[in-house]
Amino acid sequence: MGSVKNGRIANYRIIWQFTELSTTLQQLSEKAKTATEEIGRLKGLHDVIRNNCNDFKSNVCIQIDQLIEQLQMRKEKLMQHVEEQAENKRRILKAQIVRCTGKLTKTSALIQFCIEALKEPDATVYMQISNALLHRSTSLEFLWHKEMRTKPEIDSDFVLNLDTKHLQYTIQTLDFAQLKAGRRGTRFKGDPSRGRSDKKIDIFQ
């Protein structure tokens, strides 16, 4: 009787673990699908950054080209600042994509391995690995939102303005208005309304 009872308990345990693992895998599969789409959109931001950067530089060039020849050297420094800011955005975006893609790759590998385990006809073999697989998949699903952060960590816009009201005074110190504020004691924040800070770059170095 004892062996029969133990056998029934083992069967119930297998059924419960099978159900839990199947449910978790289904949830992970949906999240992996969503993450794949979101990572695709993240990759698309490279083009957005490039286009916005080109548009911004074109607008700045139009203003500078209307000024006298003395502004040429300052123009090159402004272009350097814009390009450095764009490069910083690309670097952050690339790192985010690498992290998310790596997490997604590990998740996909675990899902595939679990699927193969579910096909195992030998209950003894399945029992040897089921606890570990259930623990790993459950932990992965629980920490998903914490570890899979696909919201863009950068602002693809370039929020900089030229101060042209007092041209004769500023011609030797032409600068973006945001950087002038930074030298008065306010750190450069990019677009204050967005609450996102960009690294300060001193274009006079």
Side-chain angles (χ1 to χ4, degrees):
M1 289 294 294
S3 60
V4 173
K5 183 177 180 181
N6 291 336
R8 289 178 179 176
I9 293 175
N11 288 335
Y12 289 145
R13 186 178 180 185
I14 292 174
I15 294 173
W16 176 82
Q17 290 179 343
F18 185 95
T19 302
E20 287 294 310
L21 184 56
S22 297
T23 301
T24 301
L25 289 177
Q26 183 178 1
Q27 294 172 344
L28 282 176
S29 296
E30 290 298 323
K31 291 180 178 180
K33 179 181 177 182
T34 300
T36 299
E37 296 173 352
E38 292 175 344
I39 290 173
R41 287 192 289 271
L42 284 176
K43 292 179 179 179
L45 286 178
H46 280 296
D47 291 334
V48 175
I49 289 176
R50 183 175 62 253
N51 293 335
N52 287 347
C53 179
N54 291 336
D55 291 341
F56 178 78
K57 289 194 291 185
S58 296
N59 291 333
V60 172
C61 285
I62 291 174
Q63 297 180 64
I64 291 178
D65 290 340
Q66 294 174 350
L67 301 177
I68 60 177
E69 197 173 42
Q70 294 174 327
L71 297 176
Q72 186 61 38
M73 292 182 63
R74 185 63 63 184
K75 169 187 171 183
E76 296 302 322
K77 290 185 177 181
L78 292 173
M79 293 301 99
Q80 179 183 354
H81 171 73
V82 175
E83 191 57 45
E84 286 175 349
Q85 189 178 84
E87 180 59 32
N88 185 55
K89 291 176 183 290
R90 286 191 289 263
R91 177 182 57 79
I92 295 173
L93 180 61
K94 181 179 179 180
Q96 182 183 9
I97 292 174
V98 168
R99 290 196 305 270
C100 292
T101 302
K103 187 66 178 179
L104 181 61
T105 299
K106 292 180 180 180
T107 301
S108 299
L110 176 60
I111 291 174
Q112 186 59 41
F113 187 84
C114 290
I115 291 174
E116 294 301 321
L118 291 174
K119 298 177 182 179
E120 174 59 52
D122 190 332
T124 301
V125 175
Y126 176 79
M127 286 294 296
Q128 291 176 351
I129 62 174
S130 60
N131 282 334
L133 292 180
L134 180 59
H135 174 72
R136 289 181 60 188
S137 60
T138 302
S139 298
L140 189 61
E141 196 277 334
F142 179 76
L143 297 173
W144 184 265
H145 291 294
K146 180 179 179 180
E147 298 179 349
M148 181 61 78
R149 298 181 178 179
T150 53
K151 182 179 180 179
E153 297 176 354
I154 51 87
D155 188 345
S156 59
D157 292 330
F158 289 78
V159 186
L160 296 168
N161 300 301
L162 281 175
D163 179 12
T164 58
K165 293 181 179 180
H166 307 287
L167 181 58
Q168 294 301 320
Y169 174 77
T170 60
I171 194 170
Q172 298 300 323
T173 57
L174 184 64
D175 203 347
F176 293 114
Q178 287 86 345
L179 294 183
K180 284 188 176 182
R183 283 192 292 277
R184 291 198 299 269
T186 302
R187 186 177 179 183
F188 177 46
K189 295 290 185 179
D191 183 0
S193 66
R194 296 175 181 267
R196 189 191 303 276
S197 62
D198 288 349
K199 182 179 179 181
K200 179 180 178 182
I201 300 175
D202 187 358
I203 67 173
F204 294 100
Q205 292 183 350

